[in-house]
Amino acid sequence: MAGAVKGPLSKAEELQVARYIGERIQYPVGLDVWTRQESAIVRTDRDSCTHCDDVLTAMRQLATLHPALSITPYDLGRFADRAEQAGVDVVPTTIIRGSGRSLRFVGLPSGLLF
């Protein structure tokens, strides 16, 4: 499955991450990735989504590394009601859900955090 989506991980890193996930994942895990489409004009009423594309690309690549991982991308503008219910008000935000629990990352998960 590795290599299906182009992303920030090299082939060697993909294999290493896939092996790590494969040894530890037991149940389905959902990745809810919240981003926002950038406006063509400068909006001073909100922060820009500096790493939205990077986060979405990384999570798409990650989801290809194991069949138990799935990704659902959300746009904060289009799904404002759902974002409010989920408590998402900053983008990019990634919510990892599995086994009745969730973990939330705000920003770009990189380095050891990834």
Side-chain angles (χ1 to χ4, degrees):
M1 253 196 201
V5 172
K6 194 82 167 144
L9 298 177
S10 69
K11 296 289 183 194
E13 291 167 332
E14 272 188 353
L15 292 172
Q16 189 177 18
V17 171
R19 187 175 13 255
Y20 182 86
I21 292 171
E23 292 171 355
R24 288 163 178 81
I25 197 167
Q26 297 177 4
Y27 303 102
V29 175
L31 304 168
D32 297 345
V33 181
W34 290 87
T35 61
R36 179 176 35 229
Q37 188 72 25
E38 284 297 322
S39 174
I41 60 172
V42 175
R43 302 266 319 250
T44 59
D45 62 329
R46 66 181 188 194
D47 291 334
S48 65
C49 194
T50 305
H51 294 291
C52 282
D53 292 339
D54 299 330
V55 170
L56 191 54
T57 301
M59 292 303 116
R60 282 188 172 140
Q61 185 180 24
L62 181 63
T64 66
L65 301 181
H66 196 280
L69 294 172
S70 64
I71 182 171
T72 306
Y74 291 102
D75 184 275
L76 189 64
R78 290 185 52 210
F79 298 99
D81 292 341
R82 186 175 181 100
E84 187 176 332
Q85 290 173 351
V88 175
D89 57 355
V90 177
V91 289
T93 296
T94 304
I95 302 173
I96 303 169
R97 299 181 190 282
S99 300
R101 297 180 181 165
S102 65
L103 180 64
R104 181 179 311 235
F105 287 102
V106 176
L108 178 64
S110 60
L112 294 176
L113 187 59
F114 181 77

